[in-house]
Structure formats: structure tokens, C-alpha cells
Amino acid sequence: MGIVAAIGVLLPFPFYYWLWTSPQAWVNLCGKGQDPSKVMAYVSHFLKLLQFISLYSVSSLSWPPPLYFYPLFLFGQFLNFRVYQLLGESGIYYGVRFGKNIPWVKEFPFGFIKDPQYVGSITQLLARSHSHN
């Protein structure tokens, strides 16, 4: 089961790489009248579900989680929520690569934390990984 779980966890990365390096191919695949960022969001959410199932299949949870779980998890959630709030779906899901005009954002956490969405995701991953046995 470990190899299947590893594939499930790693699957999104080639997808994101392909979209970033070949955005026109994705736009063409989505077809006329389809928003490539919205379609990417749907596929990304499905891939995130596969990641979760893959990780859950090889995990053992401990309850209650350590106290540091809560601040790490909540801070990561806050950063991800705030980035999504400021950038919107097209800003998060490569709209700039699909020819959309995405305005530059300077509000917190941008300008204070380099790559806040990555920091938020890593912070949540650290919280989750330390809450397992």
C-alpha cells in the first residue's frame, strides 16, 4: 500500500508543473468557454482529496494532538484563507499563466511573509505530521 499512497501524495506535483510550463495546452484542453482556472481548481480539489486518502491510509492518529498542533494548524489555515481571499480563484489557480490580469497584492501576509501560501501549507503539514504517532 505504501507505493500507492506515495503516488497519491505526489500526483498533484506533475499536474501543477505541466500547467505552469504548458498553460496553453491546458487552455486548449479545457475548451472554449471554460475558465481554465476554475477547471484547474476542480481538478486540484480532487487531487487534494486523493492526497488526503493516501495519507490517511498509511497514518495512525493520536488523540489528543500535542498542544503545538493547534497554533501551527490555525496559523497555516489563516495564511491559506487570507491568500485565497486576496488573490481569488484565478490568482491561486494560475490565472496569470492563462492570460488573466491578476493585480499585484501588498496586503498582509504579502510583503511580510515570503510565499505565504507555501508557508501556510507547510505549517499545516508540520502540525499534522506531529499529531500522528
Side-chain angles (χ1 to χ4, degrees):
M1 186 61 162
I3 191 74
V4 173
I7 291 169
V9 169
L10 297 174
L11 196 57
F13 300 106
F15 174 68
Y16 297 143
Y17 177 80
W18 176 61
L19 267 59
W20 188 258
T21 58
S22 304
Q24 191 58 49
W26 179 250
V27 171
N28 295 342
L29 185 64
C30 290
K32 219 173 187 114
Q34 292 293 325
D35 180 348
S37 294
K38 184 168 279 311
V39 176
M40 180 186 176
Y42 289 138
V43 173
S44 296
H45 289 122
F46 176 73
L47 292 174
K48 187 56 71 179
L49 176 64
L50 289 179
Q51 274 185 324
F52 177 78
I53 292 168
S54 298
L55 285 173
Y56 187 77
S57 73
V58 294
S59 296
S60 60
L61 301 176
S62 64
W63 192 258
L67 287 179
Y68 56 79
F69 166 84
Y70 297 103
L72 285 175
F73 183 80
L74 292 173
F75 183 66
Q77 269 299 97
F78 168 74
L79 286 178
N80 286 322
F81 173 79
R82 184 74 176 135
V83 168
Y84 200 94
Q85 183 183 39
L86 292 170
L87 296 181
E89 188 171 72
S90 292
I92 296 291
Y93 295 105
Y94 296 4
V96 70
R97 300 294 290 160
F98 304 136
K100 295 181 179 185
N101 182 22
I102 307 299
W104 194 256
V105 175
K106 295 180 182 176
E107 291 91 31
F108 181 82
F110 295 99
F112 296 91
I113 298 173
K114 184 177 166 97
D115 300 318
Q117 187 176 18
Y118 294 123
V119 171
S121 295
I122 290 168
T123 303
Q124 287 188 308
L125 185 61
L126 286 172
R128 290 184 203 139
S129 68
H130 291 336
S131 68
H132 296 216
N133 283 334

